[in-house]
Amino acid sequence: PTTLSVPPTSLKGYSLNMLYQDALVRVTLGDPIYIQYSIVGRATCVYEATAPVEIPGDPKLVIKISMQLLTRKHEIELLQEAIKAGLGEHLPTPHMWSTGGQPWCSSDGIWGTMFPDNDTTKSYEPRRQDIIVMTRYTPLKVVLKPENMDLLFSQLFKCTFIQS
């Protein structure tokens, strides 16, 4: 979408192509859920998302965009390892992610211009953009009520499954 603000105040309405079952799918960002503005750090954004594909169970989707250290495993790899270890019921289900090809890296932008010899000087640790489209959790504010607060917090601290 056209905007008068640079950078835009929101990514709502913007879209990007992601790979889903060997086909490129246009994912459109909806309302923002969480935005961490940051010059340093992960600069994590989570938005509602829609995609014109049929995903089993027809889940509501979110898209998470963050800047991860190059030395850190991709978040999708951590999620897949946890799911393989049997923790899947406690984690969001990933549907699309951006680890293929050449992900955008902070050294491709302003950081690379400011520190062109970073490979030798180590002035900063480069970050890459990670994007994951996953099933949206039920918002805690929907589940949390005064009459069940003690049970829910107990389950959260003990890391036990919360059934709704």
Side-chain angles (χ1 to χ4, degrees), residues 33-78:
I33 296 171
Y34 174 82
I35 299 175
Q36 174 196 16
Y37 296 103
S38 179
I39 292 176
V40 296
R42 293 188 203 112
T44 300
C45 300
V46 180
Y47 281 82
E48 293 176 348
T50 56
V53 294
E54 194 170 313
I55 296 175
D58 194 27
K60 289 184 179 179
L61 301 174
V62 297
I63 186 167
K64 179 182 179 190
I65 305 167
S66 61
M67 298 297 293
Q68 302 293 333
L69 295 173
L70 280 178
T71 55
R72 184 175 187 249
K73 280 186 178 183
H74 285 278
E75 188 171 0
I76 187 63
E77 292 173 14
L78 298 171

Side-chain angles (χ1 to χ4, degrees), residues 6 9 38 48 57 77 93 97 136 140 158 162:
V6 177
T9 55
S38 179
E48 293 176 348
E77 292 173 14
T93 304
W97 50 89
R136 180 179 180 164
L140 192 56
K158 293 178 184 174
I162 298 174

Side-chain angles (χ1 to χ4, degrees), residues 14 43 91 110-112:
Y14 284 75
L91 300 170
I110 191 73
W111 288 104

Side-chain angles (χ1 to χ4, degrees), residues 2-3 6 8 17 21 23 32 36 46 56 68 72 80 84 91 100 111 117 130-131 146 159-160 164:
T2 58
T3 179
V6 177
N17 293 325
Q21 297 182 346
Q36 174 196 16
V46 180
Q68 302 293 333
R72 184 175 187 249
Q80 289 171 331
K84 189 175 179 181
L91 300 170
W111 288 104
D117 56 349
D130 270 0
I131 303 173
C159 296
T160 56
S164 55

Side-chain angles (χ1 to χ4, degrees), residues 111-127:
W111 288 104
T113 303
M114 288 174 51
F115 304 102
D117 56 349
N118 189 58
D119 289 341
T120 55
T121 62
K122 305 292 183 211
S123 300
Y124 72 97
E125 189 168 357
R127 293 178 176 272

